[in-house]
Amino acid sequence: MPELPEVETVRRGLDKWVSGRRIATVEVLHPRAIRRHMPGAEHFAGVLAGRRVGAVMRRGKYLWLPLDDEDALVGHLGMSGQLLMQPADAPDETHLRIRFTFDDDGPQLRFVDQRTFGGLAVSEGGAVLPAELAHIALDPVDPLFVDDAFVDRLRRRRTEVKRALLDQTLISGVGNIYADEALWRARLHGARDTSQLSRPSVRRLLGHVRDVLNEAIGQGGTSFDALYVNVNGESGYFDRSLNAYGREGLPCNRCGSPMRREAFMNRSSYSCPRCQPRPRLAPR
């Protein structure tokens, strides 16, 4: 699942290629791609035609394109969604779901999604912040993120620290990969009780979260396969810089101990058994 760095990379590409342009036509090629737009494909295409796109925005792992009528086009990439800029004469992608053309006859915007877990929808009055995204917390690279409030909220919770990092109502944009990377840097096991962490420890962890996300953004995100690419179809390369995620059995880059993999919420967590010892007691 794309996390904040991957979605931010796509946002920046869209902002460069789509902002300020006026949509001419919209072609919906698969109904699941707009399943969250309840009025259906015809309404989706009709309400977007003729609208000018503003500066592309993001909240956590969601994108939205503000429109000149105060509505917004909201998107989530899901597991395999891609928003690609393509010349009009480029062949259709195998899993092309939605096509946008613009009145300047420039590059098209195409939503491609192999697994169709992602999707687009129009949010009425959502140009500033779509109502559908209002429950999602700010992310730590947002200039409005308040560190002290996050520290206090996390310490009031009695849960495992990795679960807290993945809670999008507490802090958004952090997924499995970047949570493991930040916890490795902070020398914390993901099962540590948040209520037992000191304020300085939480601050250090937040700093590592922010550093990991910014470094990953700078490298275009993490691509383990061809499903995540930027708007130009290029893969990110932060996977070359990973210290924890996916490194089971490899030596820890800090102490040399073999990295371990543990089951976590139907996924996997990766950590160093020496640098990140398991807590004796799990949170109740």
Side-chain angles (χ1 to χ4, degrees), residues 140-188:
V141 301
D142 191 308
L144 298 179
F145 188 90
V146 180
D147 291 14
D148 287 344
F150 168 78
V151 171
D152 290 341
R153 290 185 65 196
L154 183 139
R155 294 183 72 247
R156 285 198 297 268
R157 302 198 177 196
R158 194 167 184 84
T159 187
E160 297 178 357
V161 64
K162 183 172 179 180
R163 289 178 182 269
L165 290 179
L166 300 183
D167 183 348
Q168 302 298 296
T169 66
L170 177 64
I171 182 172
S172 69
V174 183
N176 204 37
I177 296 174
Y178 300 112
D180 280 357
E181 292 301 305
L183 289 165
W184 180 86
R185 295 189 184 195
R187 298 175 181 251
L188 292 173

Side-chain angles (χ1 to χ4, degrees), residues 234-272:
E234 301 163 340
S235 298
Y237 52 92
F238 189 70
D239 57 295
R240 305 172 194 172
S241 303
L242 295 174
N243 289 299
Y245 188 83
R247 301 191 71 248
E248 180 184 13
L250 296 176
C252 171
N253 288 331
R254 186 165 43 219
C255 75
S257 299
M259 297 290 289
R260 69 185 162 201
R261 179 178 65 85
E262 300 172 283
F264 174 78
M265 296 173 61
N266 297 318
R267 289 172 281 183
S268 296
S269 284
Y270 298 87
S271 61
C272 173

Side-chain angles (χ1 to χ4, degrees), residues 188-230:
L188 292 173
H189 190 279
R192 288 283 299 272
D193 187 339
T194 54
S195 67
Q196 300 302 310
L197 295 176
S198 66
R199 282 186 172 82
S201 293
V202 178
R203 286 187 174 279
R204 284 194 297 272
L205 174 60
L206 177 59
H208 289 306
V209 170
R210 189 173 278 131
D211 288 344
V212 167
L213 294 176
N214 280 320
E215 290 170 25
I217 291 169
Q219 297 180 41
T222 302
S223 297
F224 287 110
D225 53 36
L227 295 181
Y228 164 67
V229 294
N230 65 17

Side-chain angles (χ1 to χ4, degrees), residues 82-133:
Q82 302 171 347
L83 286 163
L84 304 175
M85 302 306 304
Q86 294 283 32
D89 58 357
D92 287 357
E93 294 78 6
T94 301
H95 302 289
L96 177 61
R97 307 307 186 194
I98 306 174
R99 183 200 322 273
F100 298 85
T101 66
F102 298 87
D103 66 358
D104 58 9
D105 296 324
Q108 299 177 352
L109 173 61
R110 299 181 182 183
F111 181 62
V112 178
D113 192 357
Q114 177 178 323
R115 299 176 183 173
T116 62
F117 291 158
L120 305 178
V122 175
S123 174
E124 294 185 2
V128 175
L129 175 64
E132 299 88 341
L133 310 185

